[in-house]
Amino acid sequence: MSSTPEKPGTSSPRVVVIGAGIVGCSLADELTARGWTDVTVLEQGPLPAPGGSTSHAPGLVFQTGPSKTLTAFAQYTVEKFNSLEVDGLPCFNPVGGLELATTPERWADLHRKAGYAASWGVRGELVDAARCKELWPLVDESAVLGGFHTPDDGLARALLASRAQMARAQARGATFLDRHTVTGIEQEDGKVTAVVTDRGTFPADHVVSAAGFWGPVIGRMAGVDVPLLPLAHQYAKTKPMAELEGVNDPRTEASKPILRFQDRDLYFREHTDRIGIGSYAHKPLPVDPFAVLDYDAARANELDMPSSLPFTEEDWEPSWEDCRWLIPALKDTEIEAGFNGVFSFTPDGMPVLGESRALRGFWLAEAVWVTHSAGVAKAVAEWMVDGQPSIDIHECDLTRFEDAQRSPAYVRERGSQQFAEVYDVLHPLQPAEQPRPLRVSPFYARQQELGAYFLEGGGWERPHWYEANADLPTGDLPERDAWSAAYWSPIAAAEAKATREKVALYDMTPLRRLEVTGPGALDFLQRMTSNNLAKKPGAVTYTLLLNERGGIRSDLTVARLAPDLFQIGANSPADLDWLTRHAPAEGVQIRDITSGTCCIGVWGPLARDLVQPLTRDDFSHEGFGYFRAKQTYLGHVPVTAMRLSYVGELGWELYTTADMGLRLWDTLWEAGREHGVIAAGRSAFNSLRLEKGYRSWGHDMTEEHDPYESGVGFAVRMDRGDFLGKAALEAKGDPARKLTPLLLDDPASVVLGKEPVHVDGAPAGYVTSASYGYTLGRCVAYAWLPPLAAGTGVHIEYFGEKVPATVAEEPLFDPKMTRIRR
């Protein structure tokens, strides 16, 4: 949310955008189109080609990928650039895209990518090798297994699109100034006030850093961390080729689809009678943004521009051999020119967007490729003008990174890995290899002793199953295909079964914990959340953080531990940021207590038998009801016990300080031996929570969804006072879509998430979360679909196969809640 959202009827705020590349020009256009016309764009290089990444970008726009948000950005970029031209030249050439498979693994991955396209609404089709040859006649058909053709993708002419948007913004009042090098950011009382350049100072209410790989330089001036790493990427052009003579119009340069040969980390595009080739096959080549030359110094050093570094021939040779293998005609030509172009990567490969809490009014629009540029600009402009974007962008929010993920060493290591993996076939559960371990719970040593298989999230090592449980019974399990068997073990079934039948310990430490205190804490949380928190101490409430449109920013569990003391179970650093931005200046204190605390979930029908002997407090159902909290001792360990269950079984979340964590684990483990206690991991956890229909924010629901269509309307109390988002909810009509539970008809079928769901033969929605339900003997999937009656048959597209499924009633397991409330 903007710290100073502009209200209708007020004067336009002063905005300074740093950087006149494709992002800065797009943003100026989007802001001025929304009435914010006092916009100044500052650029250190010459216009219209200032020498950043935009000036050398090959302009490839592929819309389809696993991120719904990035696809939406790219879709808007295609739509907008298709409508722009300069001097009669189009800013976008919709030649389409063609991804080739030369290995069975890639061919399978293209089937998965076709599923993404259907889920997100992108036209695309899988084609055989003969069709690939028709689309790209120079390709060796015998080397190709098939391809994925997307006819609406194409080539963005980034400099032309920048010029077109610059002209539109200028016509509405924006000012573009080149040859202005930013030297400082002025601020007062935590708010940005001006941008200082070598040619004067520019007062500002908002400053947006759209400086590309110079982002960390600008960020340092503002005292704001910008977690991106510039890397160099090889690009080369051939000499003129006889095969292309007279084929392409010089005005549009290309007629064939953009070609991606991802099995060798290569892509190709036409430049009239030449072929341009980009390679990610070489080792990562990090670039220090503080050492990049300015435009004039770069030219003096015989560089075309600051972002264009000398071509490294030794890195190119292996790729050139691969190029000639795929396109034999290249054996008759040579590389005429090449360069190493600099552009930006983040630790997770996503852009960095939003307003800094450290400096109000200072915004980031960084690590954005041409592919997503106009879509990002639209979202940031909406954010600044309206207070929030129209689509969910939590994957790009600058607050998403933990402190442990912001070190220069981490950004360099993970950013380099993102470069190396840009064209790899990646499993959705596949963790980064380094740096690990980074964050561990106090139970880590015990988990290692039990043979924990760790995956990573948010820097945390998270056990997904334990080899110590390999001999436990699993029940009947179907054979899995190679993809769904990756990062999975049948041990997860044994752990789910043990949780349903006995008792298990789950490490819940990575879940974020906030503490809100002070005389104004209750009133503040009542205003910020959707449920009623005005309950006696000891109550725990499931509630929602909503935005002004009634979209779900997050879901929370709030325990009132004392009249002015609340402990919140939250989702991400963005929740802390959101609450802090809205907190009153006095009377409320908010702090993140995650790193100083830990949590064990003790769940299963024997949970009470395990816990009760350890405490003098009454843990009976009558003495410790569901959604209640107590501060007590288990053995020698002080704990905050909350009777909650995310797995649908009797039990408690047990919190203590990090220094007492290992003692808590050992206490519970020793007491649980006689009850057959096990440690269980996230794989079983996810299965159990889906059987109960418990939502996962960020997967099943986001800001794009309201509580009623998401199936969490029970967490909204409209009969109490005002709260953020209430007015929007009052205006809601009947939902046009619903988060819908599906059971796959075939017990042997498994899906993983993000697959398209077909209703009456056409794509109608997509899967959010899925896991095999070991208790139910069927795979459970939740999907966004039009409202459908229980019993309706649908099909989920999994690697090109239409898998039958049926709309189910929820909750699928224990609908009367008898197992939890006993």
Side-chain angles (χ1 to χ4, degrees):
M1 177 178 177
S2 169
S3 59
T4 55
E6 198 68 14
K7 302 299 182 184
T10 62
S11 60
S12 175
R14 299 166 298 179
V15 180
V16 174
V17 178
I18 301 172
I22 190 65
V23 178
C25 292
S26 297
L27 181 58
D29 182 41
E30 296 289 338
L31 285 171
T32 55
R34 287 165 174 79
W36 280 24
T37 55
D38 191 351
V39 175
T40 302
V41 182
L42 301 175
E43 173 53 58
Q44 64 178 342
L47 292 174
S53 299
T54 300
S55 299
H56 73 244
L60 282 65
V61 178
F62 276 91
Q63 299 172 82
T64 306
S67 168
K68 182 174 181 288
T69 299
L70 288 189
T71 297
F73 287 160
Q75 287 171 310
Y76 182 76
T77 300
V78 168
E79 175 188 346
K80 184 175 187 180
F81 289 3
N82 257 319
S83 69
L84 300 177
E85 63 175 40
V86 175
D87 299 331
L89 295 174
C91 293
F92 189 79
N93 183 2
V95 292
L98 178 63
E99 300 181 52
L100 298 180
T102 61
T103 64
E105 294 77 15
R106 182 68 60 182
W107 185 226
D109 189 59
L110 292 187
H111 283 74
R112 188 167 61 106
K113 186 160 285 187
Y116 291 147
S119 290
W120 314 144
V122 177
R123 285 203 307 153
E125 63 172 343
L126 294 164
V127 296
D128 62 16
R131 177 61 175 151
C132 293
K133 180 73 171 179
E134 290 178 15
L135 291 166
W136 248 88
L138 300 183
V139 165
D140 181 358
E141 181 180 350
S142 68
V144 177
L145 299 179
F148 177 52
H149 180 222
T150 45
D152 299 324
D153 291 339
L155 295 166
R157 306 178 80 164
L159 286 178
L160 281 186
S162 296
R163 286 177 58 192
Q165 294 177 100
M166 185 189 310
R168 299 199 324 180
Q170 287 172 322
R172 302 185 191 109
T175 301
F176 285 75
L177 300 173
D178 64 2
R179 299 294 188 173
H180 281 65
T181 299
V182 174
T183 59
I185 306 293
E186 293 186 349
Q187 52 186 287
E188 185 176 339
D189 297 328
K191 177 87 171 63
V192 70
T193 58
V195 176
V196 182
T197 76
D198 58 349
R199 298 176 66 179
T201 297
F202 297 83
D205 302 302
H206 297 272
V207 173
V208 185
S209 178
F213 57 77
W214 282 289
V217 179
I218 301 300
R220 179 176 292 183
M221 295 178 193
V224 173
D225 184 39
V226 182
L228 69 79
L229 176 71
L231 286 137
H233 159 61
Q234 289 199 303
Y235 193 79
K237 289 182 184 179
T238 68
K239 290 183 176 180
M241 297 178 63
E243 293 83 354
L244 297 181
E245 186 177 354
V247 171
N248 296 313
D249 183 346
R251 291 167 54 84
T252 56
E253 293 190 336
S255 56
K256 298 179 187 65
I258 309 160
L259 186 69
R260 289 206 282 188
F261 179 24
Q262 293 164 302
D263 289 322
R264 293 294 186 272
D265 297 308
L266 293 164
Y267 64 82
F268 306 82
R269 59 151 295 181
E270 295 171 296
H271 291 279
T272 311
D273 59 353
R274 296 164 168 81
I275 293 179
I277 308 166
S279 172
Y280 292 97
H282 55 84
K283 65 182 181 294
L285 301 169
V287 174
D288 181 358
F290 294 89
V292 176
L293 301 175
D294 63 27
Y295 188 90
D296 293 324
R299 299 288 286 180
N301 281 270
E302 300 184 346
L303 300 175
D304 288 339
M305 61 189 82
S307 63
S308 179
L309 303 181
F311 193 61
T312 49
E313 295 281 357
E314 65 277 12
D315 293 315
W316 176 252
E317 285 306 315
S319 292
W320 186 226
E321 291 303 313
D322 291 331
C323 294
R324 291 173 161 184
W325 176 78
L326 180 70
I327 304 175
L330 292 176
K331 295 176 182 178
D332 299 324
T333 188
E334 297 176 357
I335 295 301
E336 183 175 67
F339 65 95
N340 288 5
V342 183
F343 63 145
S344 303
F345 283 80
T346 59
D348 60 2
M350 301 293 284
V352 181
L353 312 178
E355 184 188 24
S356 169
R357 181 158 46 92
L359 179 59
R360 286 175 292 119
F362 185 81
W363 295 76
L364 297 181
E366 296 290 9
V368 182
W369 294 6
V370 172
T371 304
H372 310 113
S373 54
V376 163
K378 177 174 180 282
V380 173
E382 291 172 336
W383 207 344
M384 295 175 71
V385 176
D386 304 326
Q388 62 199 38
S390 58
I391 65 170
D392 171 66
I393 62 166
H394 78 274
E395 295 175 307
C396 309
D397 194 318
L398 64 88
T399 63
R400 70 188 182 273
F401 293 112
E402 306 280 353
D403 288 344
Q405 297 173 303
R406 291 180 171 273
S407 71
Y410 185 94
V411 172
R412 182 182 179 91
E413 198 159 357
R414 286 290 173 94
S416 296
Q417 184 170 352
Q418 288 294 326
F419 178 92
E421 293 178 346
V422 72
Y423 277 173
D424 287 359
V425 176
L426 298 176
H427 194 279
L429 294 177
Q430 183 172 336
E433 295 179 1
Q434 296 296 335
R436 291 181 64 192
L438 184 64
R439 307 175 78 188
V440 299
S441 79
F443 326 127
Y444 184 64
R446 298 293 184 263
Q447 292 165 344
Q448 287 180 304
E449 292 168 4
L450 293 169
Y453 184 88
F454 293 98
L455 298 180
E456 183 259 358
W460 288 101
E461 295 295 320
R462 300 186 177 198
H464 273 241
W465 63 83
Y466 295 84
E467 291 296 331
N469 300 323
D471 294 332
L472 295 179
T474 63
D476 294 331
L477 293 177
E479 291 281 337
R480 287 206 173 204
D481 65 277
W483 189 254
S484 64
Y487 304 99
W488 173 85
S489 169
I491 295 172
E495 293 176 359
K497 182 177 174 64
T499 306
R500 291 276 187 240
E501 296 178 354
K502 293 183 179 180
V503 62
L505 306 184
Y506 288 82
D507 182 1
M508 305 301 288
T509 301
L511 298 184
R512 182 160 302 276
R513 292 171 292 284
L514 308 178
E515 185 179 83
V516 181
T517 59
L522 176 61
D523 289 342
F524 168 64
L525 291 174
Q526 285 282 78
R527 177 169 58 85
M528 292 303 299
T529 69
S530 63
N531 212 332
N532 182 23
L533 306 182
K535 302 172 182 176
K536 294 179 180 179
V540 183
T541 306
Y542 177 80
T543 188
L544 307 171
L545 287 178
L546 304 178
N547 63 25
E548 292 282 1
R549 297 191 182 106
I552 302 172
R553 281 194 58 91
S554 188
D555 63 341
L556 313 174
T557 54
V558 181
R560 192 176 192 184
L561 302 179
D564 296 338
L565 170 61
F566 295 82
Q567 181 173 311
I568 297 176
N571 283 297
S572 76
D575 296 341
L576 174 63
D577 182 78
W578 180 257
L579 291 171
T580 302
R581 287 178 184 277
H582 287 84
E586 297 180 355
V588 176
Q589 295 80 44
I590 306 169
R591 68 188 186 103
D592 189 329
I593 61 173
T594 308
S595 61
T597 56
C598 58
C599 178
I600 299 175
V602 183
W603 291 309
L606 301 182
R608 184 175 287 117
D609 297 315
L610 189 160
V611 174
Q612 183 61 81
L614 299 173
T615 179
R616 294 181 178 181
D617 281 305
D618 185 1
F619 271 56
S620 70
H621 182 62
E622 295 74 22
F624 197 155
Y626 191 51
F627 266 80
R628 299 291 299 172
K630 284 186 179 182
Q631 293 178 304
T632 184
Y633 288 87
L634 296 183
H636 297 283
V637 182
V639 300
T640 298
M642 299 185 196
R643 191 169 166 199
L644 308 175
S645 176
Y646 206 54
V647 300
E649 295 293 336
L650 171 69
W652 288 266
E653 292 179 359
L654 303 173
Y655 299 87
T656 191
T657 52
D659 60 321
M660 297 296 293
L662 192 58
R663 185 60 178 262
L664 175 62
W665 179 281
D666 289 344
T667 299
L668 295 170
W669 189 260
E670 187 60 33
R673 286 183 184 274
E674 64 179 291
H675 305 294
V677 71
I678 67 161
R682 298 288 299 182
S683 188
F685 178 89
N686 197 48
S687 171
L688 297 169
R689 71 100 180 165
L690 279 170
E691 290 185 330
K692 283 298 292 179
Y694 293 147
R695 278 57 169 155
S696 173
W697 186 85
H699 295 94
D700 301 317
M701 55 190 187
T702 69
E703 282 196 86
E704 293 184 4
H705 309 113
D706 71 49
Y708 304 116
E709 60 190 8
S710 303
V712 290
F714 62 87
V716 179
R717 287 289 300 272
M718 299 293 285
D719 57 351
R720 66 172 183 86
D722 193 25
F723 57 86
L724 188 63
K726 182 178 181 179
L729 293 185
E730 289 174 333
K732 295 279 185 183
D734 293 335
R737 60 184 177 179
K738 296 187 74 173
L739 186 60
T740 305
L742 304 174
L743 279 176
L744 274 63
D745 294 351
D746 184 351
S749 295
V750 175
V751 299
L752 299 182
K754 299 189 177 180
E755 297 89 355
V757 181
H758 297 255
V759 178
D760 296 330
Y766 59 93
V767 173
T768 59
S769 295
S771 178
Y772 200 83
Y774 302 111
T775 316
L776 302 173
R778 293 282 193 282
C779 183
V780 180
Y782 271 77
W784 281 105
L785 292 169
L788 298 172
T792 301
V794 301
H795 287 85
I796 302 173
E797 183 179 336
Y798 181 71
F799 285 90
E801 179 186 354
K802 302 295 194 305
V803 179
T806 302
V807 175
E809 294 275 6
E810 63 176 339
L812 305 172
F813 176 78
D814 188 27
K816 295 184 179 180
M817 302 283 283
T818 56
R819 298 177 71 89
I820 293 178
R821 300 177 184 272
R822 60 180 174 183

